[in-house]
Amino acid sequence: MPSIKQFQVTFDCAEPERVARFWCQVLGYAVSPPPGGFATWDEFDRSRPPEHRGSRFACGDPSGVGPRLFFQRVPEGKVVKNRVHLDVRVGTGLVGEERLAALEAECARLVPLGAVRVRLMYDGKDSCIVMRDIEGNEFCLD
């Protein structure tokens, strides 16, 4: 059986472009090119019926290594905890206070972007900071 070479992570949200641009800042991603045949996302949106304008947006890793992120507007708001979430790996290879300092520094960078700190999980050696993005989707600084 062949292995999957690529995948994308899809977010259901109310404001696709706003959430996509938040994640671009978090991950160092870039806005993906608009769909084929369109010079800009605005041009693509103007070609769609009014009720579908602004309903999708995408971004990706400029190096091509990380997965593409796709954002689609849905009518319902977020109600319960995510069943899947992203772990933003900023403390890989670090332990104890050094790891905690790296996580705290990243948390301090993300809060002004609109992220919300939920809680610190720390046992003296391993740590993780649970956060929410600008629409309340949980993610972890790991």
Side-chain angles (χ1 to χ4, degrees):
M1 178 173 180
S3 65
I4 303 297
K5 302 294 184 210
Q6 293 184 351
F7 70 95
Q8 82 176 8
V9 178
T10 300
F11 288 71
D12 290 349
C13 55
E15 298 179 68
E17 182 174 352
R18 179 174 174 249
V19 179
R21 290 187 183 281
F22 168 82
W23 281 103
C24 283
Q25 291 180 309
V26 171
L27 301 173
Y29 271 33
V31 171
S32 295
F38 298 95
T40 66
W41 278 94
D42 286 338
E43 182 183 320
F44 168 71
D45 270 343
R46 286 191 304 273
S47 75
R48 305 184 80 208
E51 66 272 14
H52 294 294
R53 291 180 185 157
S55 66
R56 52 195 241 185
F57 211 79
C59 62
D61 181 351
S63 71
V65 175
R68 178 178 191 249
L69 302 181
F70 183 76
F71 303 85
Q72 61 187 8
R73 185 173 57 219
V74 295
E76 68 279 355
K78 183 179 177 316
V79 181
V80 297
K81 186 180 184 313
N82 302 5
R83 300 271 319 248
V84 174
H85 67 267
L86 299 183
D87 284 343
V88 180
R89 310 292 314 272
V90 297
T92 303
L94 303 175
V95 295
E97 293 297 321
E98 187 179 19
R99 178 181 172 82
L100 185 57
L103 298 179
E104 292 290 359
E106 185 66 2
C107 180
R109 183 181 80 84
L110 299 182
V111 168
L113 301 177
V116 174
R117 181 188 181 117
V118 176
R119 71 180 170 281
L120 169 67
M121 299 168 64
Y122 182 54
D123 66 8
K125 179 181 176 189
D126 200 14
S127 53
C128 167
I129 298 176
V130 179
M131 301 192 73
R132 289 195 181 107
D133 74 10
I134 57 175
E135 284 202 0
N137 299 300
E138 294 87 5
F139 69 97
C140 292
L141 298 181
D142 177 36

